[in-house]
């Protein structure tokens, strides 16, 4: 007899015990079916135990020890097989960071663990707790819990997170990175928090909120704030900075942010609050005077140059890689524009400076055409990147500091993929705020896991480590002689043992 995994028409898999009779595979017993890989793994283990039990019945001369062991294993049910990887690995990190000290009960921890291991809706969380933690809790209990704690623990969570990573960074945070993203909702109605606005995700018809995230070097999270979905991106920077500064007295770190935060109002606000900054510049949108000054410079990959703008330094760098990317994007944008003009989908109202519409011109009162001269002249700026700063950092230091902004882009990517912070199905503001808080802690645990794996030279990523925890089980068995229960962890794989050794190491 052997175990077979059979794919069903629905996309799920059935776990079956098969016996070969002649040339025909006969189904002896179906153990169960599931879409979930971890549950399928459990079903396969149960099938193997069932084969042992069934075969044990045919051995008339099996010894007492084998019979006793088979008897014990044959009585192992679903409730005796427990997933322990997330708690043993991720839970240990959660506690080492100090989250267990702030008075939040085990349910908050469970919500963080499930967000890391089985991210999804709260219904999926309920299913995870039932299947793998043997905890029966209704989704409505989770909702009521989220309503209760939405304000109570945010400051404690931020304090523990900030203190932990400040210590990791040597006790001083000299540079911070800021960015904002939009998070859309499946529910169609707006309210005081969820507003329809410009969506970076292209979900322009969905209500959304805006999440401002502040991180330190290496992408370590420091704090966050939530804003109404219609809030202009540029208005979110100063509130987040001031919030973190007041709470933790971090002084005035250098602020790194992308070109979306580049506005006269933001620059004035940063200066008036005493911040130094490096902001992404938009060279193509600069004045003719600034552009002429840049064109006179001999800028190479090894030789960035700078010009003055409004009393600040505009550092300009060049990259062959960026040149190829800019040229590719311009050509792609032009081809889309040509297709729209050919199909008559563009009129004179489309002539503006939004994206590649800047290449349009009006040939007569009604005919819109493409200005290919403007397109060709625009190639002069391919490969160039600007950085506006009021610091005394050297040009290459400015470029290097801004180059680390990818860390916050990675933070949002992790949040939206590994942790699945979106889409959000909640509509009550308290639940939305608690959901974001849970995701913030989950991201912090993820980053600490990533740091530990790197420091201890583990051969796989944090995402892979989390996958490995999904298949780390223990069995609870009854010992007939001592009349007691004991737990027996299943033998780890080589990768799992590497992970255990790295995280359990003092």
């Amino acid at each position: 007899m052997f175990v077979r995994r059979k794919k069903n028409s629905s996309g799920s898999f059935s776990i079956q015990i098969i016996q070969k009779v002649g040339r025909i595979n006969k189904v002896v017993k179906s153990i169960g079916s599931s879409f979930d890989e971890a549950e399928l793994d459990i079903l396969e283990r149960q099938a193997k135990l069932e084969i042992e039990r069934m075969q044990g019945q045919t051995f008339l001369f099996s010894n007492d020890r084998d019979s006793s062991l088979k008897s014990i294993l044959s009585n192992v049910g679903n409730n005796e097989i427990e997933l322990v990887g997330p708690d043993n690995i991720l839970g240990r990190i959660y506690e080492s960071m100090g989250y267990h000290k702030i008075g939040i009960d085990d349910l908050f921890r469970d919500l963080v663990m499930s967000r890391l291991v089985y991210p999804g809706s709260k219904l999926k969380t309920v299913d995870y707790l039932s299947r793998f933690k043997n905890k029966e809790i209704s989704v409505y209990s989770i909702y009521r819990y989220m309503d209760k704690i939405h304000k109570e623990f945010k400051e404690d969570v931020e304090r523990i997170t900030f203190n932990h990573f400040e210590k990791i960074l040597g006790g001083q945070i000299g540079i911070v990175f800021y960015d904002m993203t939009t998070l859309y909702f499946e529910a169609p109605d707006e309210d005081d928090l969820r507003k329809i606005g410009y969506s970076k995700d292209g979900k322009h018809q969905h209500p959304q909120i805006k999440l401002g995230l502040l991180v330190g070097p290496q992408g370590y999270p420091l704090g966050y704030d939530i804003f109404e979905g219609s809030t202009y991106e540029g208005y979110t920077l100063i509130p987040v900075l001031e919030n973190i500064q007041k709470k933790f007295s971090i002084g005035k770190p250098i602020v790194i942010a992308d070109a979306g935060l580049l506005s006269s109002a933001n620059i004035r606000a940063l200066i008036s609050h005493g911040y130094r900054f490096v902001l992404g510049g938009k060279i193509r949108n600069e004045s003719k005077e600034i552009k002429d000054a840049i064109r006179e410079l001999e800028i190479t990959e090894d030789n960035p140059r700078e010009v003055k703008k409004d009393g600040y330094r505009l550092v300009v760098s060049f990259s062959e890689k960026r040149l190829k990317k800019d040229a590719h994007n311009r050509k792609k944008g032009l081809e889309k524009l040509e297709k729209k003009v050919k199909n008559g989908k563009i009129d004179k109202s489309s002539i503006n400076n939004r994206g590649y519409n800047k290449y349009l011109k009006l040939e007569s009162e009604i005919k819109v055409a493409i200005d290919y001269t403007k397109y060709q002249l625009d190639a002069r700026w391919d490969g160039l990147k600007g950085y506006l700063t009021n610091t005394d950092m050297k040009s290459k230091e400015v470029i290097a500091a801004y180059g680390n902004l990818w860390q916050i882009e990675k933070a949002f990517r992790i949040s939206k993929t590994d942790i699945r912070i979106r889409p959000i199905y909640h509509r009550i503001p308290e639940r939305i705020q608690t959901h974001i808080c849970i995701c913030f802690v989950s991201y912090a645990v993820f980053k600490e896991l990533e740091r530990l794996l790197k420091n201890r030279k583990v051969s796989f990523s944090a995402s892979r480590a989390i996958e490995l925890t999904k298949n780390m089980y223990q069995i609870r068995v009854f010992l007939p002689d001592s009349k007691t229960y004991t737990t027996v962890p299943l033998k780890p794989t080589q990768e799992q043992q590497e992970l255990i050794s790295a995280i359990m190491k003092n």
Side-chain angles (χ1 to χ4, degrees):
M1 287 186 285
F2 61 92
V3 178
R4 180 175 72 180
R5 181 183 292 199
K6 180 183 178 183
K7 189 171 184 178
N8 303 315
S9 59
S10 64
S12 66
F13 287 88
S14 293
I15 304 301
Q16 301 171 331
I17 295 175
I18 304 297
Q19 186 169 26
K20 198 170 187 65
V21 180
R23 295 184 179 182
I24 299 174
N25 289 332
K26 181 181 179 182
V27 179
V28 177
K29 188 173 183 179
S30 291
I31 303 300
S33 64
S34 178
F35 291 91
D36 188 88
E37 182 63 32
E39 186 172 1
L40 288 169
D41 186 67
I42 291 177
L43 292 173
E44 286 179 342
R45 292 177 188 274
Q46 289 177 337
K48 291 174 182 178
L49 290 173
E50 181 64 12
I51 289 175
E52 289 288 329
R53 187 189 68 79
M54 295 168 70
Q55 289 179 334
Q57 293 175 349
T58 66
F59 296 142
L60 299 178
F61 303 104
S62 59
N63 62 48
D64 292 340
R65 290 182 62 188
D66 285 352
S67 298
S68 176
L69 179 59
K70 290 174 182 177
S71 175
I72 291 172
L73 293 176
S74 68
N75 289 315
V76 174
N78 286 344
N79 291 338
E80 278 74 46
I81 300 177
E82 184 180 11
L83 178 66
V84 294
D87 275 340
N88 289 351
I89 302 299
L90 303 175
R92 184 182 178 92
I93 294 173
Y94 176 95
E95 292 186 1
S96 72
M97 297 176 73
Y99 290 119
H100 66 297
K101 297 178 181 178
I102 58 179
I104 303 180
D105 57 30
D106 286 344
L107 181 54
F108 186 85
R109 175 189 170 122
D110 287 338
L111 292 174
V112 171
M113 295 299 106
S114 67
R115 180 59 46 184
L116 285 162
V117 180
Y118 288 101
S121 67
K122 297 303 178 289
L123 284 172
K124 190 169 183 179
T125 299
V126 168
D127 188 51
Y128 160 75
L129 293 174
S130 175
R131 291 186 184 188
F132 303 115
K133 299 286 294 177
N134 295 322
K135 292 183 179 181
E136 298 298 332
I137 183 171
S138 73
V139 69
Y140 301 106
S141 296
I142 292 179
Y143 289 154
R144 288 192 294 270
Y145 178 78
M146 294 176 72
D147 293 342
K148 181 180 69 174
I149 70 166
H150 78 282
K151 289 182 179 178
E152 191 174 351
F153 297 118
K154 179 181 184 293
E155 290 194 5
D156 288 333
V157 160
E158 280 189 323
R159 173 179 52 79
I160 286 174
T161 305
F162 182 90
N163 289 343
H164 175 79
F165 287 115
E166 182 186 40
K167 184 178 179 181
I168 296 299
L169 293 169
Q172 185 175 3
I173 299 174
I175 294 180
V176 295
F177 302 86
Y178 177 78
D179 204 357
M180 185 278 302
T181 192
T182 55
L183 301 172
Y184 65 87
F185 293 79
E186 292 300 324
D189 301 323
E190 292 184 276
D191 53 36
D192 290 341
L193 179 61
R194 301 175 304 144
K195 298 286 187 181
I196 291 175
Y198 173 74
S199 171
K200 293 184 177 183
D201 305 317
K203 302 287 184 176
H204 302 294
Q205 302 305 314
H206 291 246
Q208 64 183 18
I209 59 173
K210 292 191 174 177
L211 173 65
L213 181 64
L214 196 69
V215 306
Q218 312 304 317
Y220 298 141
L222 302 177
Y224 70 95
D225 267 313
I226 302 170
F227 300 89
E228 291 180 5
S230 58
T231 304
Y232 168 56
E233 178 179 354
Y235 296 158
T236 65
L237 172 60
I238 298 300
V240 173
L241 286 171
E242 291 296 287
N243 176 35
I244 297 298
Q245 187 195 3
K246 288 175 183 177
K247 287 179 181 178
F248 308 119
S249 301
I250 63 172
K252 299 291 182 179
I254 297 173
V255 180
I256 315 293
D258 71 7
L261 280 299
L262 182 67
S263 69
S264 298
N266 263 340
I267 292 171
R268 286 195 301 269
L270 286 166
I271 295 296
S272 65
H273 286 82
Y275 288 102
R276 292 173 296 162
F277 58 82
V278 176
L279 301 177
K282 300 178 180 179
I283 293 178
R284 296 173 195 262
N285 297 341
E286 292 291 351
S287 66
K288 183 179 182 301
E289 181 183 3
I290 296 292
K291 285 184 175 181
D292 289 343
I294 292 173
R295 288 183 60 196
E296 292 178 3
L297 300 174
E298 294 183 4
I299 305 171
T300 65
E301 290 212 48
D302 298 324
N303 186 30
R305 304 293 296 276
E306 57 185 73
V307 298
K308 290 292 183 181
K309 178 188 175 184
D310 300 329
Y312 310 117
R313 298 160 56 209
L314 180 62
V315 177
V316 184
S317 70
F318 172 79
S319 164
E320 282 286 350
K321 183 179 179 181
R322 191 186 304 122
L323 182 146
K324 292 177 181 178
K325 181 180 178 181
D326 290 346
H328 172 77
N329 289 340
R330 278 191 315 107
K331 184 179 179 181
K332 191 174 179 181
L334 178 67
E335 289 171 350
K336 288 183 178 179
L337 209 58
E338 287 174 330
K339 188 174 182 180
K340 288 181 180 179
V341 170
K342 183 179 179 180
N343 294 337
K345 293 182 178 180
I346 287 181
D347 56 31
K348 62 181 180 180
S349 65
S350 301
I351 301 176
N352 52 52
N353 285 322
R354 296 175 185 170
Y356 297 106
N357 282 7
K358 61 187 176 183
Y359 300 141
L360 295 174
K361 65 179 180 179
L362 196 62
E363 286 191 336
S364 64
E365 289 189 10
I366 58 172
K367 185 178 180 181
V368 177
I370 294 175
D371 190 335
Y372 287 96
T373 300
K374 187 180 289 187
Y375 169 78
Q376 292 165 357
L377 288 174
D378 208 28
R380 296 177 298 183
W381 309 107
D382 288 350
L384 295 177
K385 174 71 178 177
Y387 317 85
L388 188 69
T389 183
N390 65 340
T391 68
D392 56 4
M393 300 165 67
K394 295 179 180 179
S395 295
K396 289 187 177 181
E397 292 175 337
V398 169
I399 296 167
Y402 187 88
N404 284 321
L405 193 62
W406 69 270
Q407 292 281 3
I408 199 164
E409 295 171 355
K410 181 183 177 184
F412 282 133
R413 186 168 64 253
I414 291 169
S415 297
K416 292 178 178 180
T417 55
D418 295 77
I419 299 172
R420 295 186 196 171
I421 193 172
R422 65 172 189 187
I424 305 173
Y425 296 90
H426 303 296
R427 60 178 181 81
I428 298 175
E430 291 81 0
R431 295 177 190 173
I432 294 168
Q433 292 170 25
T434 300
H435 172 76
I436 300 299
C437 185
I438 290 168
C439 291
F440 180 76
V441 174
S442 301
Y443 173 68
V445 172
F446 185 99
K447 289 301 294 183
E448 178 63 3
L449 170 63
E450 187 178 70
R451 185 186 73 83
L452 291 172
L453 295 178
K454 181 179 179 181
N455 287 353
R456 291 161 188 179
K457 296 180 172 55
V458 175
S459 60
F460 43 79
S461 68
S463 296
R464 175 58 181 164
I466 291 173
E467 284 297 315
L468 292 173
T469 69
K470 296 180 183 180
N471 291 295
M472 296 169 68
Y473 299 96
Q474 69 179 16
I475 300 177
R476 183 172 179 263
V477 295
F478 180 73
L479 303 177
D481 290 342
S482 60
K483 300 292 191 285
T484 60
Y485 281 93
T486 188
T487 55
V488 181
L490 299 185
K491 184 179 179 180
T493 64
Q494 184 175 344
E495 278 188 312
Q496 287 173 338
Q497 186 57 58
E498 186 179 2
L499 175 61
I500 292 168
S501 299
I503 302 305
M504 301 301 183
K505 183 179 179 181
N506 292 326

